[in-house]
Amino acid sequence: GAGVSQTPSNKVTEKGKYVELRCDPISGHTALYWYRQSLGQGPEFLIYFQGTGAADDSGLPNDRFFAVRPEGSVSTLKIQRTERGDSAVYLCASSLYSSGGRGELFFGEGSRLTVL
Amino acid sequence: GNSVTQMEGPVTLSEEAFLTINCTYTATGYPSLFWYVQYPGEGLQLLLKATKADDKGSNKGFEATYRKETTSFHLEKGSVQVSDSAVYFCALSPSGAGSYQLTFGKGTKLSVIP
């Protein structure tokens, strides 16, 4: 596709369940980012991939959160034992290379996660 | 740490009114500064950017000037249109290591009425 694609667009789950959120970046983009946007807040950095490896996962809130990008394209954000506080919009972005301050990230529309 | 503060919304303006959305930042060194926009039902899009002091970013009639002395990057437009209704986010990218990591403000919702 032409843009960053995220699925599902909406996910409602119960506390304690496991959730996977998928991101399909723009073809050829080597850098991929996950951000989380809570209600009334700006996006907050979670993790950055350069190729297949997580170059910086310092934004992941705790060890219930994990992300993979096994073939350097599609990425999956995995959340174990979900809590109500995990409810947010999870944004994925990609760029042709590490943006290095140029900030030209291309964002998907996000996956809205609601934990009941 | 790095932070971005932008004026709280929502902001409601009549068509053709002048727009200013204030943004100030805290960061060491010389960050790059950005405005992103989110139209209803769409993902965040880069609106404009400035990478060094006194640079002016501009796009679609919007402008913002990187003011190092006041650590500000205010967004302006001379005559807004209904189609400008969106949420606007100010953001920074630190210089040096970690420059890929954007720090965003909370966003300002703009509604333009005919």
Side-chain angles (χ1 to χ4, degrees):
Chain A
V4 176
S5 176
Q6 292 188 246
T7 55
S9 55
N10 277 286
K11 176 70 176 180
V12 180
T13 191
E14 294 179 344
K15 180 176 178 294
K17 298 292 187 182
Y18 171 80
V19 166
E20 288 190 352
L21 306 175
R22 174 189 166 106
C23 173
D24 197 345
I26 292 173
S27 178
H29 281 193
T30 59
L32 184 145
Y33 316 79
W34 285 97
Y35 283 76
R36 178 168 73 173
Q37 186 174 12
S38 300
L39 191 63
Q41 304 295 315
E44 295 178 319
F45 172 81
L46 295 178
I47 188 170
Y48 156 57
F49 286 90
Q50 183 60 252
T52 59
D56 183 350
D57 64 358
S58 62
L60 295 177
N62 51 59
D63 62 5
R64 295 187 297 106
F65 288 75
F66 190 71
V68 296
R69 194 185 185 200
E71 298 178 355
S73 178
V74 171
S75 176
T76 304
L77 178 65
K78 307 181 180 192
I79 311 173
Q80 298 178 321
R81 304 182 304 280
T82 52
E83 299 177 358
R84 293 192 180 87
D86 298 336
S87 297
V89 177
Y90 290 82
L91 301 173
C92 179
S94 69
S95 62
L96 188 57
Y97 37 71
S98 170
S99 65
R102 288 181 285 277
E104 295 180 38
L105 303 188
F106 295 83
F107 282 86
E109 292 183 31
S111 291
R112 181 178 298 278
L113 175 65
T114 303
V115 182
L116 301 177
Chain B
N2 300 324
S3 67
V4 174
T5 302
Q6 60 182 105
M7 64 186 284
E8 293 188 16
V11 174
T12 302
L13 295 174
S14 296
E15 206 165 21
E16 299 184 1
F18 183 84
L19 168 71
T20 299
I21 301 178
N22 290 338
C23 171
T24 57
Y25 68 90
T26 301
T28 56
Y30 296 88
S32 296
L33 302 174
F34 311 92
W35 278 99
Y36 275 81
V37 59
Q38 187 170 29
Y39 297 104
E42 299 184 16
L44 282 164
Q45 304 174 23
L46 178 64
L47 179 61
L48 54 83
K49 64 182 181 183
T51 56
K52 61 182 188 294
D54 300 325
D55 266 2
K56 178 186 284 187
S58 61
N59 186 26
K60 298 182 180 180
F62 290 89
E63 292 184 340
T65 301
Y66 186 164
R67 300 290 188 198
K68 180 71 173 173
E69 64 275 14
T70 54
T71 61
S72 66
F73 193 55
H74 305 321
L75 182 68
E76 296 182 336
K77 186 174 186 182
S79 176
V80 294
Q81 305 300 312
V82 172
S83 57
D84 294 326
S85 298
V87 182
Y88 293 82
F89 292 90
C90 186
L92 72 81
S93 168
S95 55
S99 60
Y100 49 81
Q101 190 176 129
L102 295 179
T103 297
F104 287 87
K106 291 185 177 182
T108 303
K109 183 175 182 179
L110 170 67
S111 297
V112 181
I113 54 178

